[in-house]
Amino acid sequence: MSSLPKIAWIGLGIMGSPMSENLVRAGYDVTGFTLEQDKLDRLTAAGGAAAASIADAVRDADVVITMVPASPQVEAIAYGPDGVLANARPGTLLVDMSSITPQTSVDLAKAAADKGIRVLDAPVSGGEAGAIEAVLSIMVGGDQADFDRAEPIFDVLGRTVVLCGPHGSGQTVKAANQLIVAVNIQACAEAVVFLEKSGVDLKAALDVLNGGLAGSTVLTRKKDAFLARDFTPGFRIDLHHKDMGIVTDAARAVGAALPVGAVVAQLVASLRAQGDGGLDHSALLRSVERLSGARL
Ligand code: NAD
């Protein structure tokens, strides 16, 4: 029997599957629940266990981790008779690693406290590759004591783990992260179309750009996608659209102007409206190509 905390993992998608498998490999006892049977089978094959419901998954857990698309899914999983708050034991730590609105995290922490359940918001950055390689950045909101309890788990999943402040702070930092990433991808996409139309060897150009001040993790991770026009997700445009909504709303609430972010939010929304919501966010290149009358 492992002396490590027993983990319930809800949401085994692009991120949740490799992250939960990293915990299994580190010796944790992980019971998963998600909507797709093949993802449950994948966890079982990796050495975890599959639960038939959220209630079954969380009943004996010390730590419950959620990694689902957005606020409505987090609320559906937390609240209601079959949810985490109704079925987890008092003292359980609920760590939501999804990217959601800061207010949802604040409200959840309050509702959970009434049941003796502790909450951290702990969204991540680093993408699917970061999840697989266990090098995620994890931005955490909540109390120091709960952070200390979760830190060994975070250390298995990521490389840069920071408590940013009270409940919701992790989500606010993640919103800023998504602003920076979207603007960076857009700038790279504009450079790609400009370089190609100018007749420069694109691979050579991106290699040298990435070695200078224009270099970035975005360019390193997305260079091949740009070159091959391979927009297999990765991080879906649908999810980045959700995140641009979060950051523009949160910025308006505090009176911060995001002029460039607002334009890129519109470009992400337009790509989605044209049917590209299921593609990786590097597909922002497609929108620059359309605007430039270039190849698609
Ligand atoms: P995904 O769509 O691949 O996976 C979501 C998973 O949640 C699915 O397996 C689905 O079955 C499960 N789910 C949804 N509703 C559920 C419910 N009610 N009960 C149980 N399971 C439920 O999404 P993803 O790409 O893994 O992203 C998850 C979160 O992480 C999102 O908030 C996203 O913004 C964030 N994120 C994603 C990336 C990335 O590169 N994909 C990077 C950083 C952060």
Side-chain angles (χ1 to χ4, degrees):
M1 248 306 263
S2 167
S3 61
L4 296 169
K6 199 168 158 10
I7 295 181
W9 193 293
I10 318 284
L12 297 165
I14 288 176
M15 299 297 282
S17 281
M19 291 168 75
S20 58
E21 287 162 18
N22 284 336
L23 287 175
V24 172
R25 262 191 292 279
Y28 285 86
D29 181 347
V30 180
T31 299
F33 177 75
T34 203
L35 301 182
E36 308 88 355
Q37 185 58 45
D38 62 314
K39 298 292 176 58
L40 286 172
D41 295 344
R42 177 177 159 172
L43 178 63
T44 317
S53 66
I54 292 165
D56 280 352
V58 307
R59 201 163 282 128
D60 299 324
D62 301 303
V63 178
V64 176
I65 302 180
T66 49
M67 192 51 163
V68 294
S71 292
Q73 289 81 20
V74 171
E75 287 166 343
I77 289 164
Y79 303 120
D82 299 324
V84 177
L85 301 195
N87 292 283
R89 296 176 303 206
T92 301
L93 178 61
L94 169 57
V95 182
D96 176 41
M97 304 193 81
S98 327
S99 306
I100 64 172
T101 72
Q103 193 57 48
T104 306
S105 299
V106 171
D107 295 343
L108 176 57
K110 214 161 150 211
D114 293 342
K115 307 256 180 192
I117 294 172
R118 310 294 309 166
V119 172
L120 293 172
D121 47 297
V124 307
S125 178
E128 182 183 17
I132 293 167
E133 295 160 20
V135 296
L136 294 167
S137 261
I138 306 178
M139 31 215 106
V140 187
D143 294 348
Q144 182 73 53
D146 298 325
F147 177 80
D148 293 344
R149 200 173 147 198
E151 204 173 11
I153 294 170
F154 293 148
D155 287 342
V156 172
L157 302 173
R159 195 157 53 190
T160 308
V161 182
V162 178
L163 177 63
C164 301
H167 297 294
S169 305
Q171 296 297 351
T172 301
V173 176
K174 173 65 184 177
N177 183 87
Q178 294 306 84
L179 168 69
I180 294 167
V181 170
V183 170
N184 195 339
I185 293 177
Q186 178 65 21
C188 291
E190 292 181 14
V192 164
V193 174
F194 162 62
L195 288 162
E196 280 192 332
K197 283 208 161 206
S198 305
V200 173
D201 178 335
L202 184 60
K203 186 177 177 321
L206 295 183
D207 282 345
V208 72
L209 284 172
N210 208 24
L213 193 55
S216 65
T217 309
V218 161
L219 195 48
T220 303
R221 296 275 196 204
K222 302 299 179 187
K223 196 156 47 84
D224 291 342
F226 290 143
L227 286 165
R229 264 63 176 181
D230 177 1
F231 303 124
T232 311
F235 187 71
R236 288 181 286 119
I237 286 286
D238 282 338
L239 290 176
H240 218 139
H241 175 67
K242 173 240 339 171
D243 291 340
M244 295 312 281
I246 292 172
V247 72
T248 46
D249 281 356
R252 188 160 58 174
V254 296
L258 309 179
V260 176
V263 170
V264 177
Q266 290 294 312
L267 291 166
V268 172
S270 151
L271 203 55
R272 188 165 179 266
Q274 293 178 78
D276 287 343
L279 299 182
D280 188 69
H281 51 175
S282 52
L284 273 166
L285 178 58
R286 283 169 68 88
S287 117
V288 182
E289 287 182 324
R290 285 183 188 121
L291 288 167
S292 305
R295 76 173 168 119
L296 282 178

